[in-house]
Amino acid sequence: MRYEQLADLPCSITRPLVVLGDRWTLLILKEAFAGVRRFNAFQSNLGIPRSRLQDRLGRLVEHGILVRQQAADGDHAEYRLSRKGHDLYPILMAIKDWGDTYMAPDGPPVHYRHRECTGEARVTLACDCCGEPMTAHDVLPEAGPGLLAQVDAQG
Amino acid sequence: MRYEQLADLPCSITRPLVVLGDRWTLLILKEAFAGVRRFNAFQSNLGIPRSRLQDRLGRLVEHGILVRQQAADGDHAEYRLSRKGHDLYPILMAIKDWGDTYMAPDGPPVHYRHRECTGEARVTLACDCCGEPMTAHDVLPEAGPGLLAQVDAQG
DNA sequence: AGCGTCGGTCTCGAAAAGAGACCATCTCCG
DNA sequence: CGGAGATGGTCTCTTTTCGAGACCGACGCT
């Protein structure tokens, strides 16, 4: 019950990590982006224990990242990415870029290609004003409204 | 000992996650990017148990993500980001973007500003060939050299 | 009726996490 | 010299989480 309280901190990195930061959650989402929708498919693709998978899917549904519904044609359950879940894609692609660079000695196992050309999907960090690419060195953190709101609330 | 074997899979998302995917690792790295270098600072900023922190720092050093060294001036130990660690920044920023969007009802707690202008750091997924912005829908996975190498090796 | 598939649950032993005390080393300062 | 206070690091003990696999009820098919 201590760790979960990190979610109260006014930090947009910490808060998502309390939900996403564990052994399986991001792997489950990776499968979801690969088109997997069924309980048994997640389970056998990842080798995750069933009870664990049940927990994680439930948590993702609670957070509105996945939506559970009965499949139209048949009868079975389906877990699909919501908009909110869909927007997690850049996180996985950023991980992919790093993995391709540092953990793929034989080259990328998978190319994530642009459907309409031969290029590949690549994540970049840039300034939303001038468009310049950025690294950690170019960043200057500064208090924002979410922080001030929290300070105000606490008196 | 089963879960770790996921690192053998030819997938550039899975492999990093076996290292980074747990409660604390990415939070530790977030602190490192915020300039934290000392054991006690990580410990008290995050509230992580000391033994856990010891484990995680050790693992990050093993993987060459952090470098442990004696501080020049004093005597104490320092944990600093290597180049490899530094390159994890886009992952944290991608998480930040998502957190700002979905878990910051009062607005971003922190602005990550471009030092040289008023803009903010933002992660984008784009095609490295035509430069078009991309989403999951625009991506077509395709086998790459790392996958073929693994298939070859297994006969 | 019998079998297979489906999502989902239960149990139990093993692994990991949390807390907090404890340590050796070193520095500072009287 | 003799404490105090940092510092990074270790040890122990309890609680929580995880993993493996059996089990279950609903449904479909033949």
Side-chain angles (χ1 to χ4, degrees):
Chain A
M1 201 84 267
R2 181 68 155 292
Y3 170 78
E4 272 72 17
Q5 293 174 350
L6 287 173
D8 300 333
L9 292 179
C11 171
S12 288
I13 298 175
T14 304
R15 299 220 267 235
L17 280 176
V18 171
V19 179
L20 306 173
D22 74 272
R23 234 158 218 228
W24 294 112
T25 303
L26 285 168
L27 290 172
I28 291 169
L29 290 165
K30 178 206 122 200
E31 292 294 317
F33 278 107
V36 170
R37 292 187 188 158
R38 304 189 36 177
F39 188 94
N40 284 348
F42 285 109
Q43 200 275 315
S44 57
N45 288 4
L46 293 171
I48 179 177
R50 302 176 71 77
S51 46
R52 208 70 20 234
L53 178 58
Q54 190 65 11
D55 282 358
R56 293 302 178 266
L57 289 174
R59 193 196 290 175
L60 289 170
V61 169
E62 265 177 40
H63 280 84
I65 293 169
L66 294 180
V67 178
R68 184 186 188 285
Q69 53 191 203
Q70 294 304 115
D73 61 319
D75 45 327
H76 60 269
E78 267 192 1
Y79 294 89
R80 321 189 53 151
L81 287 159
S82 67
R83 172 74 192 279
K84 183 175 176 180
H86 188 262
D87 285 350
L88 290 165
Y89 200 59
I91 298 175
L92 292 177
M93 286 296 105
I95 294 170
K96 183 268 297 173
D97 280 353
W98 190 84
D100 278 348
T101 304
Y102 291 107
M103 303 188 90
D106 301 318
V110 176
H111 294 298
Y112 293 79
R113 289 206 186 283
H114 193 190
R115 276 208 140 81
E116 295 153 30
C117 73
T118 54
E120 282 190 56
R122 206 79 74 190
V123 160
T124 58
L125 182 68
C127 177
D128 69 352
C129 162
C130 66
E132 282 290 301
M134 293 173 67
T135 74
H137 299 306
D138 304 313
V139 170
L140 189 67
E142 180 186 302
L147 186 63
L148 306 175
Q150 176 135 339
V151 172
D152 290 348
Q154 286 177 359
Chain B
M1 201 87 269
R2 182 67 155 292
Y3 169 78
E4 273 71 17
Q5 293 174 352
L6 287 172
D8 300 334
L9 292 179
C11 171
S12 288
I13 299 175
T14 305
R15 299 221 267 234
L17 280 177
V18 172
V19 179
L20 307 173
D22 74 272
R23 233 159 218 227
W24 294 111
T25 302
L26 285 169
L27 290 172
I28 290 169
L29 290 166
K30 178 207 121 199
E31 292 294 317
F33 278 108
V36 171
R37 291 183 188 162
R38 308 194 26 181
F39 188 92
N40 284 348
F42 285 110
Q43 199 274 316
S44 57
N45 288 4
L46 293 172
I48 178 177
R50 300 177 72 76
S51 47
R52 207 70 21 235
L53 178 58
Q54 190 66 9
D55 282 359
R56 294 301 178 267
L57 289 174
R59 192 196 289 174
L60 289 169
V61 168
E62 266 178 38
H63 280 84
I65 292 170
L66 294 180
V67 178
R68 185 188 187 284
Q69 52 192 203
Q70 294 305 116
D73 61 319
D75 45 329
H76 60 268
E78 268 192 359
Y79 293 90
R80 320 189 53 151
L81 288 160
S82 68
R83 173 75 194 280
K84 183 174 175 181
H86 189 262
D87 285 351
L88 290 165
Y89 200 59
I91 298 174
L92 292 178
M93 287 295 105
I95 294 169
K96 183 268 296 174
D97 281 354
W98 189 85
D100 278 348
T101 304
Y102 291 107
M103 302 189 89
D106 302 317
V110 176
H111 294 298
Y112 294 80
R113 290 206 186 283
H114 193 190
R115 276 209 141 80
E116 294 153 29
C117 73
T118 55
E120 281 189 55
R122 206 78 74 190
V123 160
T124 58
L125 183 68
C127 177
D128 70 351
C129 163
C130 66
E132 283 289 302
M134 292 173 68
T135 74
H137 299 308
D138 304 313
V139 169
L140 188 68
E142 179 185 302
L147 185 65
L148 306 174
Q150 175 134 339
V151 172
D152 289 350
Q154 288 178 354

